[in-house]
Amino acid sequence: MSPKVGMEPLRRQQIILAAKDCMLQYGFGHFSIKDVAESATLSTGVIYHYFKNKQDLLVQVLKESFSDTEETVREAVEKHTAFEGKFKSYLEAVADVPKQNPDFYLILLNYIAQSPYNEEVQPLITKFFDHLRTFLEEILEEGVEQDILHPETKPVLSHLVMSQAMGLAFQEQLLPLDNVEYLREEFVRLFQKYIE
Amino acid sequence: MSPKVGMEPLRRQQIILAAKDCMLQYGFGHFSIKDVAESATLSTGVIYHYFKNKQDLLVQVLKESFSDTEETVREAVEKHTAFEGKFKSYLEAVADVPKQNPDFYLILLNYIAQSPYNEEVQPLITKFFDHLRTFLEEILEEGVEQDILHPETKPVLSHLVMSQAMGLAFQEQLLPLDNVEYLREEFVRLFQKYIE
Amino acid sequence: MSPKVGMEPLRRQQIILAAKDCMLQYGFGHFSIKDVAESATLSTGVIYHYFKNKQDLLVQVLKESFSDTEETVREAVEKHTAFEGKFKSYLEAVADVPKQNPDFYLILLNYIAQSPYNEEVQPLITKFFDHLRTFLEEILEEGVEQDILHPETKPVLSHLVMSQAMGLAFQEQLLPLDNVEYLREEFVRLFQKYIE
Amino acid sequence: MSPKVGMEPLRRQQIILAAKDCMLQYGFGHFSIKDVAESATLSTGVIYHYFKNKQDLLVQVLKESFSDTEETVREAVEKHTAFEGKFKSYLEAVADVPKQNPDFYLILLNYIAQSPYNEEVQPLITKFFDHLRTFLEEILEEGVEQDILHPETKPVLSHLVMSQAMGLAFQEQLLPLDNVEYLREEFVRLFQKYIE
DNA sequence: GATGAATGAGCTTTCATTCAT
DNA sequence: TATGAATGAAAGCTCATTCAT
């Protein structure tokens, strides 16, 4: 029927996608390998041909979500050259993640809950946020060089931006917010105050 | 030794505590009723005498965590009478939850991940955050009445405060932050700007 | 239906027996926990109530086989007081194990094959043979004291007796021997030559 | 690289060797066809080109072990012409199998345990021991003809020699014997008594 | 001849829940 | 009230075998 050799990249993607679907549909820890297999219209066996175990598959799902999101933010920033433009577009991009990549925070949420008990996931998450925050610090450094920002503000600001963005996204996941758009704008405004 | 009557409240508390311990030790969904029973030095059977099922027990654990935390914040605010004092102490209390009640956000995290798939937990969480935010809005209303705050700022500010606090707490859970104390102070300062 | 408390000793015995039956019927590694459960007319779950895992159950089966056999030999020897009587009855008892305890060598065979790869079983087997051989050496020591035996003969003789007995039993398991009884008698005679 | 023709004997040998390695490394029943394939740096598929199934492969492994060992013993005996020399060298060769062919008894052990439940293996083992014992009886027959041995001793002696040799080898596999060499010499001496 | 992708039955083990005592 | 024995469904995972290429 179908080819029998060289399926690796296709199948891996197919399975990761199916796992993502299952996670969104049933929630982390509430779907089985059998569910994934059915969702991918494959047998349970193949999954273990491409992934060491369930944990391994789950880690790949997370990795993909992270690299997608990081890329989105970087792309948005790289359209600008001036410090102010970069900073603003970073804020907007970060605030827009839930809109551009709707599943991201739901997936993240599931993994965060596991992270204190999961030696493999914990460093992945830490690295992701560190990357994103370090990227922001690089932008802010330009502001420091141009005397727009006080050097000491840099680390504090980067942390506050990250946590505010995370907090907003999680709230959106949790609560039926009616004024999301407005809150996002306020978020951008709040932090732009720092460079005025 | 022998069966006792009137044990109800004690036993319930004993079991809820044991469940909390298990959750913190093993993570949500990674401990069994047997684990809880052992942790409470009871038999598995007796747990079903006091709780309908595992889900029910879990819900009670969450409820307790919520009411403890809400009380802490209210108590802090009620020490003040002036708007500025109330607002500042609210900010401080909310930022201090991870310090005063170290397990709270770890427990919350576990439930949040489940909430989209759990009809019973979802409204509990929503209600908790609504309470806390509405309480902040009541404080802010005093600021509006005293012309310190623009009426429109009220809802935005309350949401931003909540999400920032949540974001900081989650970041603290996730990442090894070395300057937590300083970030908390910055958080308070950030939002006090709104009423200057 | 049946009692619900204090079943431990009965059930453990019942399950060990069922496991022994399965091993004899299907051979080591060719029966599942489900087979054992069915053979004991129990559910698979109970087995894990009484035994840590399959390996644990298997180890208990072996332990029981060992202690039964050791006891048989000791009892036979203890009927005698004179050295010659003890030695002869030891030889006879050891040669008679396949007859008195027909499953013993079949069970042993199964475990021996596993032993080089099984950290728990290996020392059990070693200990069993050491016990039995040391017991023989204690008997032989009496012969040495009575100047019937040369001291140097003791360890060699004890090893040769053990291996000959083991070899005969395994041959009997493997090959359709028609003159088993006669071989056993020759075995006894062969080693009695040493004390003439 | 590219498919080759006429690979049959080489590949079979390569696979049998890999299977032997796996058996020694993991133990019978604890390695998969994939393990064998990897050990032979081949694909799983090709194994089924040369062997009907796993069982078939296993049988070939055993056959090879048997013919190697039988040959060793025959070669040792054929160096002598006199009865006494033949008998002694037979005893020595048989006692030396564990030294000359270290894996033989470990492999044998694995199959013996399976034999009562395996219609194909059982007769192979029986035949092997019969061959070796019949060969000994042929030697002993010369002793009978030369009036060195009583005719009735022949079958008994051949059985006792075989079982003693087997027993010693298994003991050596199982227990950490410190005086193996000495025991082997005693084994030879023990049975030489019969022809003095 | 050779590959490795794919299957699916079957394995061991866990666990929420029930219930006779 | 309290016990812990018992259930059985369902989980993750393995593996001999097949087969399109």
Side-chain angles (χ1 to χ4, degrees):
Chain A
M1 205 124 309
S2 55
K4 286 271 175 172
V5 166
M7 292 273 82
E8 176 121 16
L10 267 83
R11 285 284 180 262
R12 283 186 74 89
Q13 200 50 41
Q14 181 185 4
I15 294 167
I16 286 176
L17 217 72
K20 225 178 227 171
D21 284 352
C22 286
M23 191 148 71
L24 294 172
Q25 190 179 349
Y26 306 114
F28 193 102
H30 292 306
F31 63 94
S32 66
I33 285 291
K34 217 183 151 200
D35 292 329
V36 177
E38 269 163 26
S39 170
T41 54
L42 287 168
S43 68
T44 59
V46 241
I47 292 176
Y48 291 88
H49 190 74
Y50 293 106
F51 300 90
K52 218 169 99 291
N53 49 33
K54 192 183 184 183
Q55 156 86 350
D56 179 32
L57 169 57
L58 258 23
V59 166
Q60 304 311 320
V61 169
L62 185 61
K63 275 186 179 165
E64 225 192 56
S65 271
F66 277 160
S67 61
D68 287 358
T69 295
E70 202 181 320
E71 209 170 332
T72 309
V73 175
R74 283 186 186 274
E75 273 171 10
V77 170
E78 273 155 17
K79 283 180 191 145
H80 298 261
T81 49
F83 163 65
E84 285 88 350
K86 284 185 180 176
F87 184 49
K88 200 186 171 200
S89 70
Y90 181 98
L91 292 176
E92 284 168 350
V94 150
D96 255 20
V97 166
K99 214 163 99 187
Q100 300 299 327
N101 201 342
D103 308 331
F104 177 73
Y105 274 102
L106 189 42
I107 289 178
L108 178 58
L109 214 38
N110 282 303
Y111 284 90
I112 286 179
Q114 306 295 320
S115 77
Y117 316 100
N118 188 320
E119 292 180 357
E120 211 168 344
V121 164
Q122 166 83 278
L124 271 179
I125 297 179
T126 305
K127 214 175 73 188
F128 169 75
F129 281 108
D130 256 15
H131 272 188
L132 221 54
R133 204 181 49 76
T134 306
F135 181 47
L136 174 55
E137 290 209 352
E138 285 164 22
I139 297 169
L140 294 177
E141 180 57 28
E142 294 181 27
V144 172
E145 281 162 10
Q146 296 167 33
D147 278 328
I148 302 171
L149 220 60
H150 192 277
E152 282 185 18
T153 317
K154 206 176 66 175
V156 178
L157 188 51
S158 71
H159 273 115
L160 288 182
V161 166
M162 292 305 292
S163 57
Q164 182 69 273
M166 206 201 283
L168 270 177
F170 284 166
Q171 266 208 322
E172 198 181 328
Q173 282 292 335
L174 281 175
L175 317 170
L177 298 176
D178 41 343
N179 49 353
V180 181
E181 218 44 63
Y182 185 50
L183 276 176
R184 280 183 192 150
E185 286 165 23
E186 264 322 296
F187 160 77
V188 175
R189 252 195 297 280
L190 176 66
F191 287 109
Q192 277 194 302
K193 280 185 189 167
Y194 272 84
I195 64 163
E196 274 159 15
Chain B
M1 213 88 340
S2 57
K4 304 276 171 57
V5 286
M7 299 298 289
E8 174 108 23
L10 268 82
R11 282 276 182 268
R12 284 185 70 89
Q13 199 50 37
Q14 182 183 6
I15 294 167
I16 286 175
L17 215 71
K20 218 180 237 172
D21 283 351
C22 287
M23 190 147 69
L24 294 172
Q25 193 178 347
Y26 307 114
F28 195 100
H30 292 307
F31 62 94
S32 63
I33 285 290
K34 213 184 156 198
D35 291 329
V36 177
E38 268 162 27
S39 172
T41 53
L42 288 169
S43 67
T44 59
V46 83
I47 290 175
Y48 286 84
H49 188 77
Y50 291 106
F51 298 91
K52 216 172 102 265
N53 50 31
K54 194 183 182 183
Q55 155 85 351
D56 179 32
L57 168 56
L58 257 24
V59 167
Q60 304 311 318
V61 170
L62 185 61
K63 275 186 181 165
E64 222 192 58
S65 268
F66 278 159
S67 60
D68 287 358
T69 295
E70 201 179 323
E71 207 169 332
T72 310
V73 175
R74 283 187 186 273
E75 274 171 9
V77 170
E78 274 156 15
K79 284 182 190 142
H80 299 260
T81 48
F83 163 66
E84 285 88 350
K86 285 186 179 175
F87 184 50
K88 197 185 171 203
S89 69
Y90 182 97
L91 291 176
E92 284 168 351
V94 152
D96 255 19
V97 167
K99 212 163 101 188
Q100 301 299 326
N101 202 341
D103 307 331
F104 176 72
Y105 274 101
L106 189 44
I107 290 178
L108 177 58
L109 217 37
N110 282 301
Y111 286 90
I112 285 179
Q114 308 295 320
S115 77
Y117 318 100
N118 187 319
E119 292 180 358
E120 210 165 347
V121 165
Q122 165 82 281
L124 271 179
I125 296 179
T126 306
K127 212 173 76 187
F128 168 75
F129 281 108
D130 258 15
H131 272 186
L132 220 53
R133 205 182 50 77
T134 307
F135 180 46
L136 174 55
E137 289 207 353
E138 284 164 23
I139 297 169
L140 294 177
E141 179 58 27
E142 294 182 28
V144 171
E145 282 162 9
Q146 296 167 33
D147 277 328
I148 302 171
L149 222 60
H150 192 278
E152 281 185 19
T153 317
K154 208 177 62 175
V156 177
L157 188 51
S158 71
H159 273 115
L160 288 181
V161 165
M162 292 304 291
S163 56
Q164 182 71 272
M166 204 200 283
L168 270 177
F170 283 168
Q171 266 208 322
E172 199 180 327
Q173 282 291 336
L174 280 176
L175 317 172
L177 298 177
D178 42 342
N179 51 352
V180 181
E181 217 45 62
Y182 186 49
L183 277 175
R184 281 184 191 147
E185 286 166 23
E186 266 320 296
F187 160 78
V188 175
R189 254 195 297 279
L190 175 66
F191 287 108
Q192 277 194 301
K193 280 186 189 166
Y194 272 85
I195 64 165
E196 274 159 15
Chain C
M1 205 121 314
S2 57
K4 286 271 176 175
V5 166
M7 292 273 83
E8 176 121 16
L10 268 83
R11 284 283 180 263
R12 283 186 74 89
Q13 201 50 42
Q14 181 185 3
I15 294 167
I16 286 176
L17 217 71
K20 226 178 228 172
D21 284 352
C22 287
M23 191 148 70
L24 294 172
Q25 192 178 348
Y26 307 114
F28 195 102
H30 292 306
F31 63 93
S32 67
I33 285 291
K34 217 183 151 200
D35 291 330
V36 177
E38 268 162 28
S39 170
T41 53
L42 288 168
S43 67
T44 59
V46 240
I47 291 176
Y48 289 87
H49 191 72
Y50 293 106
F51 298 90
K52 221 169 96 282
N53 50 33
K54 194 184 183 181
Q55 155 85 351
D56 179 31
L57 169 57
L58 258 24
V59 166
Q60 304 311 319
V61 170
L62 185 62
K63 275 187 179 164
E64 225 193 56
S65 272
F66 277 160
S67 60
D68 286 359
T69 295
E70 202 181 320
E71 209 169 331
T72 309
V73 175
R74 284 185 184 274
E75 275 171 9
V77 170
E78 275 156 14
K79 283 180 190 144
H80 298 261
T81 49
F83 163 65
E84 284 88 350
K86 285 187 179 174
F87 184 49
K88 199 187 170 199
S89 70
Y90 182 96
L91 292 175
E92 285 169 351
V94 151
D96 255 20
V97 167
K99 213 163 101 188
Q100 300 300 326
N101 203 340
D103 308 332
F104 177 72
Y105 274 101
L106 189 43
I107 289 179
L108 178 57
L109 216 37
N110 282 302
Y111 284 91
I112 286 179
Q114 306 294 319
S115 76
Y117 317 100
N118 188 320
E119 291 181 358
E120 211 167 344
V121 164
Q122 165 82 278
L124 272 179
I125 296 179
T126 305
K127 213 174 75 189
F128 169 74
F129 281 108
D130 257 14
H131 271 188
L132 221 54
R133 204 181 49 77
T134 306
F135 181 45
L136 174 54
E137 290 208 352
E138 285 164 22
I139 297 169
L140 294 177
E141 179 58 27
E142 294 181 27
V144 171
E145 282 163 8
Q146 296 167 34
D147 278 328
I148 301 171
L149 220 61
H150 193 278
E152 281 185 19
T153 317
K154 207 176 64 174
V156 178
L157 188 52
S158 71
H159 273 115
L160 289 181
V161 166
M162 292 305 291
S163 57
Q164 182 71 272
M166 205 202 279
L168 270 176
F170 283 168
Q171 266 207 321
E172 199 180 329
Q173 283 292 336
L174 281 176
L175 317 171
L177 298 177
D178 42 342
N179 50 352
V180 180
E181 218 44 61
Y182 185 50
L183 276 176
R184 280 183 192 149
E185 285 165 23
E186 265 321 296
F187 160 78
V188 174
R189 253 194 298 280
L190 175 66
F191 287 109
Q192 277 193 300
K193 280 185 188 165
Y194 273 85
I195 65 164
E196 273 160 13
Chain D
M1 210 88 340
S2 57
K4 303 276 168 58
V5 286
M7 299 297 289
E8 175 108 23
L10 268 82
R11 282 276 183 268
R12 284 185 71 88
Q13 199 51 37
Q14 182 185 6
I15 295 166
I16 287 176
L17 215 72
K20 219 180 235 171
D21 284 351
C22 286
M23 190 149 67
L24 294 172
Q25 193 178 350
Y26 306 114
F28 195 99
H30 292 308
F31 63 93
S32 63
I33 284 290
K34 213 184 155 198
D35 291 329
V36 176
E38 268 163 26
S39 172
T41 53
L42 288 169
S43 68
T44 60
V46 82
I47 290 175
Y48 286 83
H49 188 77
Y50 291 105
F51 299 90
K52 217 172 101 263
N53 52 30
K54 194 184 182 182
Q55 156 84 354
D56 179 31
L57 169 57
L58 257 24
V59 167
Q60 304 311 319
V61 170
L62 185 60
K63 275 186 179 163
E64 222 192 58
S65 268
F66 278 160
S67 59
D68 285 358
T69 295
E70 203 181 319
E71 207 169 334
T72 309
V73 175
R74 283 188 186 273
E75 274 172 9
V77 171
E78 275 156 14
K79 284 181 189 142
H80 298 260
T81 50
F83 163 64
E84 285 87 351
K86 285 186 179 176
F87 184 48
K88 199 188 171 199
S89 69
Y90 182 97
L91 291 176
E92 283 168 351
V94 151
D96 254 19
V97 167
K99 215 164 97 188
Q100 300 299 327
N101 201 341
D103 308 331
F104 176 73
Y105 274 102
L106 190 44
I107 290 179
L108 177 58
L109 217 37
N110 282 301
Y111 285 90
I112 285 180
Q114 307 296 319
S115 77
Y117 318 100
N118 187 320
E119 292 179 358
E120 209 165 347
V121 164
Q122 165 82 283
L124 271 179
I125 296 179
T126 306
K127 213 174 74 187
F128 168 75
F129 280 107
D130 258 15
H131 271 188
L132 220 53
R133 204 181 50 76
T134 307
F135 180 47
L136 174 55
E137 290 208 353
E138 285 164 24
I139 296 168
L140 294 177
E141 179 57 27
E142 294 181 26
V144 172
E145 282 163 8
Q146 296 167 30
D147 276 328
I148 301 171
L149 221 62
H150 192 280
E152 281 186 18
T153 317
K154 208 177 63 175
V156 177
L157 188 51
S158 70
H159 273 114
L160 288 182
V161 166
M162 292 304 292
S163 58
Q164 182 69 274
M166 205 201 281
L168 270 178
F170 283 169
Q171 265 207 324
E172 199 181 328
Q173 282 292 335
L174 280 176
L175 317 171
L177 298 178
D178 41 344
N179 49 353
V180 181
E181 217 44 63
Y182 186 49
L183 277 176
R184 280 182 192 150
E185 286 166 23
E186 267 318 299
F187 160 78
V188 175
R189 254 194 296 279
L190 175 66
F191 288 110
Q192 277 194 300
K193 279 185 188 167
Y194 272 84
I195 63 164
E196 274 158 15

